[in-house]
Amino acid sequence: MRAALSTLKFLEAGSLSHAFKIMKTHPGIMPTAGCTDIYVSLNFGTLKVREFLNLWGLSELRKIQMKGDYLSIGSLATYTQIIHSDSVKKWIPMLIQASSSIGGMQIQNRGTLGGNIGNGSPAGDTLPVLAAAEAVVVLGSTEGIRRISFNMFYTGYRKNAMNPEELILSVEIPRIKSQQWYRKVGTRAAQAISKIVMAAVLSKDPEEQQDPRRIRIAFGSLAPTVIRAFRTETALAENGNITEAQKTLLSEIQPIDDIRSTALYRQTVAANLLAEWWGKVSPRSLIKS
Ligand SMILES: Cc1cc2nc3c(=O)[nH]c(=O)nc-3n(C[C@H](O)[C@H](O)[C@H](O)COP(=O)(O)OP(=O)(O)OC[C@H]3O[C@@H](n4cnc5c(N)ncnc54)[C@H](O)[C@@H]3O)c2cc1C
């Protein structure tokens, strides 16, 4: 461990309001959930923070429950919890696929949805799911509760719209009645960080055929943040031509060369994934004559 543990200070939140107060009175303190990302940064010696707030005991942030028309998933819900949730299975099965692909069993037992969002890696596996599902992030502080659309949450590479004193409380996901699809492309099936992730939603409900949001496509690892491919969605909705949509996609993503992959590989695979998904979802019913 390159960061000396003896120099670190850990505070314990006894309740949510206590956690809000600590966040307000200790500027620069970092909240911790499962610590699976934080521990890696400490081990690499890249994390300069020395004061942490342990949220793990706040069981109210661990609930997964239906609230009217949306599913609320607490920020401390672990991947194991998500995988075993009947509500997630029924309404957001692509989130189960994403959660099952994360790390190994130990990481799934400890890693949380809030931690994946807070960490904000463009390769975070649940993030394209939340983008395609049009989730809402619920934030809290001593100032109160506020909601922000997940698609507005990231403002740049690992930067987000949270105020320093705020905590992620939960994620609200509208029930998705449409067909869902999730694919993670990595070096191998388990314990691999993704090279590309795609999540997509397609409504075949005749009543929603005029809804511009009936096709929703999101990618991870193709830009500094998770992205919604809005122009590609529009191209597909207009005429269903996959070749045109692939061209549009390539014009709206900015993949980079890095240690995990090359920009060219990512462009090629992204276009192939789009075509694979579109081929599977029987687009004929959507194509205008
Ligand atoms: C071996 C290994 C394999 C992994 N494999 C994958 C993988 O396949 N896919 C993948 O996406 N990730 C993977 N990860 C990364 C990590 O496990 C996930 O990002 C996980 O969801 C992080 O959750 P956590 O609770 O451990 O977060 P923590 O490490 O506790 O926190 C991460 C960040 O989020 C912030 N945070 C956490 N909770 C809150 C909150 N409630 N409010 C505000 N900020 C908060 C923290 O301050 C910190 O900045 C892997 C990590 C390891 C070590």
Side-chain angles (χ1 to χ4, degrees), residues 30-31 33-38 79 103 112 115-116 118-119 125 168 184:
M30 177 177 264
C35 261
T36 59
D37 276 315
I38 290 175
Y79 298 115
T112 64
N116 210 225
N119 187 49
D125 283 329
I168 303 166
K184 168 175 175 171

Side-chain angles (χ1 to χ4, degrees), residues 157-211:
Y157 178 68
R158 289 182 185 261
K159 292 202 173 85
N160 61 48
M162 285 171 72
N163 298 323
E165 296 171 9
E166 282 180 318
L167 292 171
I168 303 166
L169 303 185
S170 63
V171 176
E172 294 174 348
I173 306 178
R175 286 185 212 216
I176 300 179
K177 294 180 189 151
S178 333
Q179 202 162 351
Q180 302 171 32
W181 199 75
Y182 178 83
R183 270 294 295 276
K184 168 175 175 171
V185 178
T187 313
R188 53 184 190 269
Q191 295 282 24
I193 296 177
S194 63
K195 291 171 188 277
I196 296 180
V197 190
M198 175 177 162
V201 168
L202 169 71
S203 171
K204 290 187 184 170
D205 185 339
E207 285 178 17
E208 291 180 2
Q209 287 312 291
Q210 298 311 315
D211 185 345

Side-chain angles (χ1 to χ4, degrees), residues 86-107:
D86 288 338
S87 305
V88 181
K89 194 174 183 180
K90 181 166 182 193
W91 294 108
I92 326 282
M94 61 180 169
L95 185 58
I96 295 200
Q97 279 179 274
S99 302
S100 308
S101 78
I102 290 181
M105 198 181 279
Q106 298 90 335
I107 296 295

Side-chain angles (χ1 to χ4, degrees), residues 1-3 36-47 119:
M1 177 74 87
R2 278 173 218 163
T36 59
D37 276 315
I38 290 175
Y39 198 83
V40 171
S41 318
L42 284 172
N43 191 37
F44 280 137
T46 50
L47 189 60
N119 187 49

Side-chain angles (χ1 to χ4, degrees), residues 198-259:
M198 175 177 162
V201 168
L202 169 71
S203 171
K204 290 187 184 170
D205 185 339
E207 285 178 17
E208 291 180 2
Q209 287 312 291
Q210 298 311 315
D211 185 345
R213 289 162 53 256
R214 72 181 187 273
I215 298 173
R216 290 182 254 148
I217 304 164
F219 283 100
S221 295
L222 289 184
T225 65
V226 59
I227 54 157
R228 267 286 289 277
F230 287 113
R231 288 201 286 118
T232 306
E233 293 171 6
T234 306
L236 277 176
E238 272 173 13
N239 63 17
N241 183 319
I242 186 61
T243 310
E244 289 302 316
Q246 284 176 308
K247 280 187 200 151
T248 306
L249 177 65
L250 293 180
S251 71
E252 75 174 325
I253 57 177
Q254 314 104 41
I256 54 164
D257 293 324
D258 66 12
I259 50 164

